[in-house]
Amino acid sequence: MMEQFDLIVIGAGPGGYVAAIRAAQKGKQVALIEKASLGGTCLNVGCIPSKTFLQHSEWMEKIKTANQFGILSEVKHIDYARLVERKDQVVGTLVNGIQYLLKKNNITLIQGEAVVKDNLVVVVNNQEFKSKDIILATGSRPFVPPIKGLDKVAYYTTDNFFDLKKQPTELVIIGGGVIGIELAFAMAPLGTKVTVVEVADDILLTEDNEARNVIKRKMDQLGIQYYTKVTIQEVTNNEVILQNQKIPYTELLVATGRKPNIEIVSALNLELDEKKKFIKVNGKFLTSRNHVYAIGDLIGGFQLAHAASKEGLTAVSAILNENHLPYNPDEIPRCVYTHPEIASFGLSEEQAKLKGYEVVTKKMSFQGNGRAIAMGETEGFVKIITEKKYHEILGAVVVGANATELINQILAVKHSEGRIEELATLVYGHPNLSEVIGETAESILFKAIHE
């Protein structure tokens, strides 16, 4: 007999496995199908490996900072293979954690590639399964652009870059988006000569312009070369050839974004967006086919792990007919784990004006903050975008140490329907980096003490 489930989730990344667990917690019989590794791109070849590498590089920078302040030390050697081994340990710990949660919640894990038939029967390893509802969470894969010569040379994508056992001597990164720039920051402090090549007008085009400028200054300090608005004429075995320059490399990383794995939907005839690139869904992540939901990289928007998790939870709530808070893209934090970090959410000043808001924007630097000075981490700022009449928080940008943690303090106030008054009147521990958030809020209402 065909095995029956209440819910089948296809894809065990941060969207899929979270959705499966929540449905199981609610008493549903759930199957989770994964053809590769639990945790998906984020855990295995994305968020977690890159942040582990970035932590190694941050330690290197802290050693240099400590030398400036009297703690004299030196790094004799970097055992790169051990750094990779530690990355594997971190990933393994998290994969084991997911396995434990699936078992704890009585979720049936099916290893293999799924095919969904038109009658919503799911086939894996020649075995058929039936479900009342299906959530598609098949994620994405690296996008490799058609560059002349690229198909004839050895290059890496993020799918295999983190498995390098030998540290690159000269690394050229094609792509100046978040992934490319994070990996530049991961490798340069370890001693790798890094060059970033970007065909667009600038690096980090999805980020705040002032934040971008801070990162570019830090790249200059780290010796990371970057070229923008270029045309890549050809790639050879050891050079990337631009219009007027040849850039040598020992390793080449192509980090030019990702494309969704939408092949699974072919039998379902699901409606796609105007560009035929992503699956079209409604506010509850239901596709054009009843009982079929799609989340994560399949649907575009924010291709972020935490966005996919929230989408998965929202889809499960819809399946269960629960009253739930609607998914709000303006409350999804966007994080860049450079050093200093960038974190933001909501509308930029320009976007808010286009939506018709009368906008007040204020920015305060970390340069006068006692904790930042003591840490030697004074780069960066807090910027808050508000609506003038009611002081509604429309968006925020934090650049600096621990920015990806600090942004959640502002976001929590917005999510709780608080306004600038709540941020401004909150008593902040001293000395603390978060004091700059309070001072920025004060500056919107009246002149801040340290302004």
Side-chain angles (χ1 to χ4, degrees), residues 62-360:
K62 287 186 181 299
I63 291 170
K64 293 177 182 178
T65 301
N67 271 277
Q68 297 173 17
F69 300 144
I71 301 176
L72 304 181
S73 59
E74 62 177 319
V75 177
K76 293 182 178 180
H77 174 66
I78 293 176
D79 188 338
Y80 192 78
R82 286 188 64 185
L83 302 187
V84 176
E85 181 181 340
R86 178 174 181 269
K87 179 268 298 182
D88 292 338
Q89 291 170 348
V90 172
V91 170
T93 298
L94 293 170
V95 169
N96 289 338
I98 296 173
Q99 288 175 331
Y100 166 76
L101 290 171
L102 297 181
K103 185 177 181 180
K104 175 184 176 183
N105 288 283
N106 298 313
I107 294 169
T108 300
L109 176 62
I110 303 169
Q111 293 285 161
E113 186 165 0
V115 176
V116 184
K117 293 185 176 181
D118 184 55
N119 60 356
L120 302 187
V121 169
V122 181
V123 183
V124 187
N125 302 326
N126 297 318
Q127 186 175 358
E128 293 187 336
F129 303 92
K130 185 67 175 176
S131 179
K132 297 175 184 176
D133 294 283
I134 295 172
I135 295 179
L136 303 175
T138 53
S140 62
R141 59 187 183 275
F143 167 71
V144 178
I147 299 172
K148 182 181 179 182
L150 192 58
D151 59 337
K152 298 180 177 65
V153 305
Y155 65 89
Y156 295 90
T157 68
T158 51
D159 276 0
N160 54 8
F161 179 77
F162 296 107
D163 292 327
L164 270 170
K165 295 299 189 288
K166 183 179 179 182
Q167 182 178 346
T169 304
E170 293 181 298
L171 174 66
V172 171
I173 301 174
I174 298 178
V178 172
I179 297 172
I181 299 303
E182 282 189 351
L183 291 179
F185 271 79
M187 301 308 299
L190 299 177
T192 296
K193 177 178 172 54
V194 179
T195 304
V196 177
V197 177
E198 173 56 64
V199 300
D201 290 345
D202 207 346
I203 63 169
L204 295 176
L205 281 178
T206 57
E207 305 307 315
D208 176 87
N209 183 56
E210 291 180 289
R212 194 184 311 141
N213 290 335
V214 173
I215 297 306
K216 288 194 287 189
R217 287 197 295 271
K218 186 58 180 288
M219 290 173 71
D220 291 337
Q221 294 171 17
L222 291 173
I224 300 172
Q225 290 187 301
Y226 56 94
Y227 299 89
T228 58
K229 295 187 288 188
V230 300
T231 298
I232 302 174
Q233 295 186 339
E234 188 178 358
V235 173
T236 70
N237 280 322
N238 55 14
E239 290 180 324
V240 174
I241 303 173
L242 308 181
Q243 303 99 312
N244 303 310
Q245 191 165 5
K246 296 181 179 180
I247 305 173
Y249 68 84
T250 56
E251 279 79 25
L252 177 65
L253 171 63
V254 179
T256 47
R258 302 184 66 83
K259 60 181 179 180
N261 296 320
I262 62 172
E263 293 78 9
I264 193 171
V265 308
S266 58
L268 297 175
N269 196 29
L270 299 181
E271 185 178 354
L272 303 181
D273 65 354
E274 293 180 357
K275 295 183 178 180
K276 306 297 181 185
K277 185 177 180 181
F278 299 107
I279 298 174
K280 191 173 183 178
V281 294
N282 66 13
K284 296 180 179 180
F285 301 99
L286 179 67
T287 69
S288 57
R289 183 78 178 262
N290 282 336
H291 302 289
V292 179
Y293 297 77
I295 62 173
D297 290 358
L298 288 178
I299 63 172
F302 295 120
Q303 292 182 298
L304 302 168
H306 49 280
S309 295
K310 179 62 176 176
E311 291 160 4
L313 295 174
T314 304
V316 170
S317 292
I319 291 169
L320 298 172
N321 292 315
E322 294 179 336
N323 291 322
H324 63 279
L325 290 173
Y327 174 88
N328 183 358
D330 288 339
E331 293 186 0
I332 299 296
R334 306 181 294 272
C335 303
V336 184
Y337 294 84
T338 46
H339 190 211
E341 297 176 344
I342 305 173
S344 59
F345 70 82
L347 303 176
S348 67
E349 183 175 1
E350 294 76 14
Q351 290 169 334
K353 288 177 178 177
L354 287 173
K355 284 181 173 287
Y357 288 104
E358 190 174 2
V359 178
V360 176

Side-chain angles (χ1 to χ4, degrees), residues 411-428:
L411 186 52
V413 172
K414 175 179 173 58
H415 181 69
S416 303
E417 300 183 354
R419 301 177 298 166
I420 282 298
E421 282 82 353
E422 280 70 34
L423 277 177
T425 57
L426 179 67
V427 178
Y428 295 80

